[in-house]
């Protein structure tokens, strides 16, 4: 079961990493222009441009690393307590981001309609699923 969960998590995190890597190169895939991309994936009021490319690259590296860590958590014999603690930290980060997407505070700060729609339907649920996935992987390592 752990390998199945970690594989699904890796696929999702790899897709996130790939998109952010492309954005770090200045590509606007899958959207036609930078302003619309920024409104769709960043969502802050009156945003006109994507954040600095280095930020997108950092997110790409972090997402890829989280995917590899998900795979490592599926191996019950590796990493020991430090890996379990990293898994719990990642679970907390993803669960917090997922829950944040459903708050009024976040909606006020990210009012762009395309972002609001995607955040409620894709970004926040994905973060919640990844957080629960990390919790499950740590749980299965401990049982």
């Amino acid at each position: 079961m752990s390998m199945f969960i970690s594989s699904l998590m890796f696929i999702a995190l790899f897709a996130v990493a790939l998109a952010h890597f492309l954005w770090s190169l200045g590509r606007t895939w899958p959207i036609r222009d930078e302003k619309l991309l920024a409104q769709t994936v960043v969502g802050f009021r009156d945003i006109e441009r994507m954040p600095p490319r280095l930020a997108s690259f950092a997110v790409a590296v972090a997402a890829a690393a989280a995917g590899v860590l998900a795979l490592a958590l599926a191996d019950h014999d590796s990493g020991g307590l430090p890996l379990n603690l990293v898994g719990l930290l990642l679970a907390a980060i993803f669960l917090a981001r997922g829950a944040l997407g459903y708050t009024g505070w976040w909606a006020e700060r990210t009012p762009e309609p395309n972002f609001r729609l995607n955040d409620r339907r894709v970004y926040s649920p994905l973060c919640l699923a990844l957080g629960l996935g990390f919790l499950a992987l740590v749980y299965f390592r401990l049982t």
Side-chain angles (χ1 to χ4, degrees):
M1 182 57 108
S2 292
M3 189 52 78
F4 178 72
I5 292 169
S6 67
S7 296
L8 290 177
M9 292 173 63
F10 178 81
I11 291 167
L13 288 163
F14 181 75
V16 169
L18 181 60
H20 281 83
F21 179 70
L22 290 172
W23 299 336
S24 77
L25 297 176
R27 305 283 186 217
T28 60
W29 176 88
I31 296 178
R32 65 183 174 272
D33 65 41
E34 184 177 11
K35 180 179 178 181
L36 185 56
L37 179 65
Q39 291 171 340
T40 303
V41 300
V42 181
F44 292 120
R45 185 179 315 281
D46 301 323
I47 191 161
E48 297 284 326
R49 302 180 54 84
M50 286 293 286
R53 290 182 180 180
L54 185 58
S56 291
F57 184 74
V59 173
V61 170
V68 170
L69 285 166
L71 292 175
L73 283 165
D75 179 4
H76 297 297
D77 298 327
S78 71
L81 179 62
L83 186 58
N84 290 345
L85 294 175
V86 170
L88 290 174
L89 175 64
L90 287 171
I93 290 168
F94 280 108
L95 289 170
R97 169 53 186 92
L100 180 69
Y102 295 104
T103 65
W105 179 85
W106 186 243
E108 287 176 21
R109 276 145 190 80
T110 56
E112 292 295 332
N114 290 337
F115 180 83
R116 295 286 354 117
L117 178 67
N118 285 317
D119 193 35
R120 294 218 175 233
R121 290 188 179 173
V122 180
Y123 310 147
S124 290
L126 176 61
C127 286
L128 290 172
L130 289 168
L132 291 173
F134 278 111
L135 279 179
L137 290 172
V138 170
Y139 172 78
F140 287 136
R141 284 173 61 87
L142 298 174
T143 57

